[in-house]
Amino acid sequence: MNRKAVLITRGILPEVVEALSKRFAVEHNAEDRPWAPEELAQHLRGKHGAMATVMDRFDEALLAQCPDLKVISNIAVGYNNIDVPAATRRGIRVTNTPGVLDDTTADLTWSLLMAAARRIAEADAYVRRGDWKIAFGVQYFLGQDIHHATLGIIGMGRIGQAVARRASGFDMRVLYNNRTRLAEADEKRLNARYADRDRLLAESDFVVVMAPYSPATHHLIGAAEIAKMKPTAILVNSARGGVVDDAALVDALRAKRIAGAGLDVFEGEPKVNPGYLDLRNVVMTPHIGSASRATRIVMCNTAAANMTAVLEGRDPPNPVN
Ligand code: GLV
C-alpha cells in the first residue's frame, strides 16, 4: 500500500520525525530555513498532510495549489497563519495544540513582566558593560513593585487564566477583560474581577495582552488605549504581533507615557520596529512563549497525533474546523 505523504515545514525534534516516518513518507525541512510561499507550495505538491508553524502562511492562493492536502496541523495554539474558512471549503482539516503550552507561555509572560518591572535587561547590560563602579546606590535602577499591584489581563482564555493564577503569589489584585465573561465560580477560583477595557487600562499597573490575533483584535492596543494607562504602567504582549500597534507603543515608550513594556511578539516578525532598539524601557524576546524543551516535545507530539488521526480517517484530538 502506498504510504501517505507528509511535509514537516520546519526543523523539529528528530524523534518525532522518526516516529512519523514509520507511518508516512515524510519530507522534513531539517535545515529549518523558512520557505517563501512559492517554495512552500512546491514542497506541498503531492502531500496529504502538513505539520506547520505560525510562520507558514496557508492562504487561498496556496491552498489552491494543494489538491491532495487533507490536513494542516499547526505546531501552535494560534492559527492566524491559516485561512480556516478557505481550508474548510476545500475539505482540509486544520488542527492546533491547545492546552499543552499554557503554563510555559504564562511563565514567559511573567518573565517579561518581571524583567520590565525590575529593569533586568537594562541592569544586566549595565553590569556587562563595566559601568557598575560603586557597589550600591539608593537610586540605582528603581523599578515598579509587582507585589500588591493590579494586574489587568486582556484575553482570559487558557493562557490568560494561567497568568492570573500566578498573580496570587504576589498578592495582586487581578482584573480581566474578555469577549465573554467567565462563570462566577471561575472568577472566584482565579480571584479575578471582570472590568470593561477602559477601567482595566486605567487601573492596572501591568496590562497583559493575551488575546489571539484576528481582524477584530488588530491594534486592540493602540495610541488611544495606551493613553488611558497609568504613566507608571507596564504593557506585556506575548500573544501575537499586531494585537498591539508597535508604532504607537514606540512613541509612548519614547515619550515615557508609560513606564515600560515586555514583548515576545511583533508586527512583521522577525522584523522588529527599529524604534524599540534604542529604548531602554522595553525588554524583548524572539517569540519564545512556549519554548521550553519539555513543552516543545509535547507540542510536536500533539501536532503529530492530530495529523496522524486525520490521515488515518479518525477525528483529530484538537480540531479547529
Ligand atoms: C505560538 O505562537 C502559538 O500560537 O502557539
Side-chain angles (χ1 to χ4, degrees), residues 54 74-80 97 101 105 159 238-240 264-265 287 289-290 296 299:
V54 293
N74 241 20
I75 313 168
V77 64
Y79 45 84
N80 59 302
T97 63
L101 47 73
T105 307
I159 303 173
S238 51
R240 267 296 179 276
D264 185 49
V265 287
H287 201 147
S290 61
R296 285 288 160 84
M299 286 170 71

Side-chain angles (χ1 to χ4, degrees), residues 40-256:
L40 180 59
Q42 211 179 337
H43 287 282
L44 279 167
R45 209 159 288 156
K47 300 297 191 301
H48 304 98
M51 246 167 84
T53 72
V54 293
M55 295 301 296
D56 304 308
R57 180 149 297 285
F58 287 82
D59 55 15
E60 179 76 66
L62 179 71
L63 295 177
Q65 299 174 67
C66 308
D68 300 313
L69 197 62
K70 296 282 173 283
V71 54
I72 305 163
S73 171
N74 241 20
I75 313 168
V77 64
Y79 45 84
N80 59 302
N81 57 311
I82 302 168
D83 183 339
V84 178
T88 305
R89 282 196 299 278
R90 292 173 183 278
I92 300 169
R93 298 299 300 268
V94 176
T95 63
N96 67 341
T97 63
V100 299
L101 47 73
D102 303 343
D103 283 315
T104 300
T105 307
D107 286 352
L108 189 274
T109 304
W110 267 88
S111 307
L112 287 172
L113 184 157
M114 297 180 78
R118 298 303 301 271
R119 303 171 61 181
I120 299 294
E122 214 185 316
D124 177 88
Y126 177 85
V127 175
R128 284 173 199 277
R129 271 197 314 270
D131 286 350
W132 191 25
K133 307 279 195 228
I134 301 171
F136 178 82
V138 173
Q139 303 203 71
Y140 276 1
F141 290 97
L142 303 183
Q144 310 293 326
D145 270 331
I146 299 159
H147 66 87
H148 298 97
T150 297
L151 171 66
I153 303 171
I154 299 179
M156 199 60 150
R158 290 189 201 85
I159 303 173
Q161 293 184 30
V163 170
R165 283 199 300 275
R166 283 156 176 72
S168 66
F170 291 86
D171 299 314
M172 293 176 98
R173 170 176 176 246
V174 181
L175 302 176
Y176 79 96
N177 183 264
N178 199 42
R179 256 180 323 182
T180 46
R181 194 170 167 166
L182 300 181
E184 212 180 310
D186 290 326
E187 289 187 351
K188 252 198 195 120
R189 180 174 53 80
L190 295 164
N191 192 26
R193 253 188 265 163
Y194 183 83
D196 65 41
R197 201 176 307 148
D198 282 358
R199 192 180 137 222
L200 181 149
L201 291 167
E203 294 185 14
S204 297
D205 300 298
F206 300 95
V207 174
V208 169
V209 183
M210 282 308 339
Y213 181 82
S214 72
T217 60
H218 180 74
H219 289 185
L220 185 70
I221 302 295
E225 289 71 28
I226 295 169
K228 291 175 183 154
M229 291 171 64
K230 296 180 181 182
T232 50
I234 283 168
L235 177 68
V236 178
N237 181 15
S238 51
R240 267 296 179 276
V243 178
V244 171
D245 178 345
D246 281 328
L249 181 56
V250 165
D251 283 349
L253 290 169
R254 192 171 282 145
K256 302 214 165 54

Side-chain angles (χ1 to χ4, degrees), residues 104 288-297:
T104 300
I288 56 169
S290 61
S292 74
R293 184 168 300 282
T295 292
R296 285 288 160 84
I297 291 171

